[in-house]
Amino acid sequence: PGLSYAWIFNNSTLDLQEDGRRFVSQETGNLYLAKVEPWDVGNYTCVVTNVEAQQSVGGPPTPLTLRTDGVMGEYEPKIEVHFPETTYAEKGSSVRLECFALGK
């Protein structure tokens, strides 16, 4: 509670609304990219902010490179589902459930 996550791409804050292919989970901080393009290549840095303490810290840059051989190696398709046992919602409120599939 009280944490928010953002990502820096090549020293600029990543604009998640730019093309709808990117998503940052505010639960885990994970960055998801759909349909990686050549312009996605670069360095990604996660920034975690403690809203209550008004402090932020960034991790080390993680480079993203494209494979040119068309081989995904050991990255076979994988589906992970992590749902809480119970999801509570107030009447009239909105609920968002997320599902992700990874692979090629």
Side-chain angles (χ1 to χ4, degrees):
L3 298 180
S4 68
Y5 302 91
W7 283 81
I8 305 295
F9 173 60
N10 291 336
N11 300 317
S12 297
T13 301
L14 192 60
D15 182 3
L16 299 176
Q17 303 303 319
E18 190 174 289
D19 58 17
R21 296 181 308 112
R22 296 175 270 204
F23 170 76
V24 174
S25 168
Q26 290 302 312
E27 184 175 318
T28 65
N30 292 343
L31 169 64
Y32 298 91
L33 284 86
K35 293 192 66 154
V36 173
E37 300 287 350
W39 53 83
D40 293 321
V41 169
N43 288 311
Y44 291 83
T45 303
C46 180
V47 178
V48 181
T49 301
N50 182 320
V51 179
E52 294 172 15
Q54 297 182 345
Q55 292 184 325
S56 296
V57 64
T62 301
L64 173 68
T65 57
L66 291 183
R67 293 189 66 140
T68 57
D69 58 10
V71 176
M72 287 296 291
E74 298 178 15
Y75 299 104
E76 61 192 33
K78 178 171 93 171
I79 297 176
E80 293 184 9
V81 180
H82 301 282
F83 290 113
E85 202 169 295
T86 304
T87 300
Y88 296 94
E90 184 177 328
K91 182 179 178 182
S93 68
S94 297
V95 175
R96 180 176 175 169
L97 301 176
E98 299 171 326
C99 179
F100 295 97
L102 309 172
K104 178 171 174 80

